[in-house]
Amino acid sequence: MLEASEILNASILIVDDQEVNVMLLEQMLRNAGYTHLASTMDPRAVCALHEAHHYDLILLDLQMPEMDGFEVMEGLKDVETGGYVPVLVITAQPGHKLRALQAGAKDFVSKPFDLLEVQTRIHNMLEVRLLYQKVSQYNQVLERTVQERTAQLRASEARFQRFTELSSDWYWEQDAQGKLTEFSGPVFEMLGIGGDGTPGAISSASPWRWNEAERALLDANIAARRPFLDFVYSRSNIDGSTQYLQVSGEPMFDSASRFTGYRGIGMEVTDRMRPNLEQRRFRAAMDVIDQGVCLLDYASLRVIDVNETACRMSGYSRHEWFGVDLAELGIGNRAQLATIFDPLLAGVEVQRQGVTLCRKDGAILATAIDWRAVRVDENWVIVGTINGPRKQ
């Protein structure tokens, strides 16, 4: 909320070619307690004055010689790059009111003046303007905080994204029944596929012992026809060492939207999975944030990473987040999220989404997510800050 002193200290510019009107408005505003007033009877000077002083409100007469109020508002649009032109127009012509609003004015007062109406409209418009500025400043601070806390993530994610695009050990496609139809590389060995070519059929002669929980989660993603990105699972080799494999896959559909199978790529990532100092620092920095943080790849709307707070809020582990359907979580489907994310790419700093988060245990958590977009090379990463139920 705003203090009364904040509104009374707002800067106001009065523009009217009639000196008596300027004097009347100045006297009325000073009597009401406003302290930062300026005026001009030359409409050609308004844009330069506003560019120099950035007034919180401009009282603008529409009918002036040489340059009318509509022309002034067009010029102000070039000064207010954010798109908000803080103009309250003054007119004696009822027919000009709608045109003025369409031209960018935020409100109007009629001549002859009703002083109580003028004071009320000025107060209301300044309140909206100053609140808008406060929200904008808060968003800038919050954006800087998120950027600072995810600086290591951006660098690490950029390297990882480039690596994924340029390299893979194998490629695979399977039909709707799960049978391999196309593949390249050591697919049978890496996926542990048996003689019938079905990924779930691991050969009894296999020398590896798979992590059953990870394999079950991968199989569940495929059975549910969910896309998965960079899913990592492991197996124990005969010599006792652990081998890590990473796969990404997506369901395929024909022109009639019938499911036709899966396709994906994979690679061995044992070396990359060995923890190092940089990874530990990055993970520690993410996990100390007391708000949930969820990172999405904009192109695929797949989860890239989440922190421990998001896991506690949802009841899902980090690996489960990579395969979870955002619609099932209550966050929304692709069409719904597009209405939130597309404005971010167009320049909106933050989009708040009220969410009824569906936890893994069936409980409901009413919260809100602040979404932001971060450009990483040629890609967009969507950063979601999940507020706790007490921080809405």
Side-chain angles (χ1 to χ4, degrees):
M1 296 297 295
L2 294 171
E3 299 290 339
S5 60
E6 293 181 83
I7 295 178
L8 294 176
N9 287 330
S11 59
I12 302 174
L13 175 66
I14 302 170
V15 184
D16 198 308
D17 63 313
Q18 299 294 321
E19 184 177 7
V20 63
N21 289 335
V22 173
M23 295 175 61
L24 176 62
L25 289 170
E26 282 185 340
Q27 187 61 47
M28 179 204 69
L29 291 172
R30 293 194 188 280
N31 290 341
Y34 291 94
T35 57
H36 291 79
L37 303 178
S39 63
T40 180
M41 291 187 290
D42 183 1
R44 295 167 298 183
V46 173
C47 292
L49 286 170
H50 185 52
E51 187 170 14
H53 301 284
H54 296 286
Y55 298 103
D56 296 310
L57 176 63
I58 299 175
L59 299 176
L60 178 65
D61 185 28
L62 287 181
Q63 293 182 296
M64 294 180 290
E66 298 184 11
M67 187 177 188
D68 64 23
F70 296 105
E71 294 175 291
V72 173
M73 282 190 286
E74 283 300 313
L76 288 172
K77 291 178 181 178
D78 295 330
V79 178
E80 285 287 347
T81 56
Y84 188 98
V85 181
V87 170
L88 188 153
V89 299
I90 303 169
T91 179
Q93 301 295 325
H96 285 170
K97 294 177 181 179
L98 178 59
R99 182 185 170 192
L101 294 174
Q102 292 172 337
K106 298 298 181 275
D107 204 350
F108 56 83
V109 292
S110 302
K111 291 181 180 179
F113 297 132
D114 180 323
L115 296 185
L116 179 59
E117 177 191 6
V118 174
Q119 289 178 359
T120 301
R121 289 185 182 272
I122 289 174
H123 181 279
N124 291 344
M125 187 168 169
L126 281 172
E127 185 175 35
V128 172
R129 172 64 167 168
L130 295 178
L131 284 172
Y132 174 87
Q133 291 175 341
K134 276 197 169 185
V135 170
S136 178
Q137 292 167 0
Y138 170 78
N139 289 339
Q140 291 174 4
V141 171
L142 188 58
E143 177 68 18
R144 286 196 298 270
T145 301
V146 171
Q147 290 179 347
E148 290 169 359
R149 292 182 178 179
T150 58
Q152 288 184 326
L153 169 67
R154 293 196 297 269
S156 178
E157 182 63 21
R159 290 193 296 270
F160 173 70
Q161 182 67 29
R162 182 61 59 191
F163 175 78
T164 301
E165 292 173 353
L166 297 179
S167 65
S168 65
D169 293 336
W170 70 83
Y171 169 83
W172 54 272
E173 286 188 15
Q174 64 187 65
D175 60 23
Q177 289 71 46
K179 189 176 181 65
L180 280 177
T181 56
E182 298 287 341
F183 62 90
S184 64
V187 177
F188 283 80
E189 174 189 350
M190 290 298 184
L191 295 182
I193 296 175
D196 65 352
T198 303
I202 301 175
S203 171
S204 60
S206 172
W208 310 290
R209 186 172 68 254
W210 297 92
N211 183 307
E212 294 182 2
E214 295 169 349
R215 282 299 297 241
L217 182 56
L218 176 59
D219 293 341
N221 281 331
I222 295 177
R225 300 176 184 175
R226 290 194 294 257
F228 49 91
L229 176 68
D230 300 340
F231 182 89
V232 177
Y233 59 107
S234 61
R235 64 187 181 189
S236 298
N237 296 322
I238 194 171
D239 61 0
S241 62
T242 300
Q243 187 176 22
Y244 291 92
L245 307 173
Q246 176 180 287
V247 292
S248 299
E250 63 179 1
M252 299 184 294
F253 300 90
D254 62 17
S255 58
S257 299
R258 290 186 296 264
F259 174 69
T260 60
Y262 257 87
R263 63 185 168 203
I265 60 172
M267 66 186 73
E268 182 179 356
V269 291
T270 303
D271 291 339
R272 188 170 61 83
M273 289 303 293
R274 295 192 181 104
N276 55 46
L277 179 60
E278 180 182 358
Q279 290 170 328
R280 289 197 299 270
R281 286 176 175 172
F282 161 68
R283 179 54 56 205
M286 282 278 287
D287 289 343
V288 297
I289 300 175
D290 61 0
Q291 293 173 300
V293 178
C294 174
L295 304 167
L296 305 178
D297 171 65
Y298 171 76
S300 62
L301 293 188
R302 296 166 179 169
V303 175
I304 297 173
D305 204 354
V306 293
N307 68 351
E308 287 295 333
T309 305
C311 294
R312 289 195 299 272
M313 285 180 171
S314 65
Y316 289 94
S317 69
R318 181 172 285 109
H319 281 306
E320 288 174 326
W321 266 88
F322 295 156
V324 74
D325 189 329
L326 295 180
E328 293 177 3
L329 275 175
I331 295 177
N333 57 34
R334 176 174 289 274
Q336 293 166 333
L337 292 175
T339 64
I340 300 174
F341 295 165
D342 288 350
L344 295 176
L345 273 61
V348 175
E349 291 185 352
V350 62
Q351 289 273 70
R352 168 158 286 203
Q353 177 193 19
V355 171
T356 302
L357 192 66
C358 301
R359 286 175 46 85
K360 184 179 180 180
D361 60 8
I364 299 299
L365 178 66
T367 184
I369 303 178
D370 291 329
W371 295 105
R372 294 170 177 78
V374 178
R375 186 78 169 182
V376 180
D377 289 340
E378 301 301 321
N379 305 297
W380 284 99
V381 174
I382 305 299
V383 180
T385 305
I386 308 172
N387 299 289
R390 297 180 181 274
K391 298 183 179 180
Q392 295 185 62

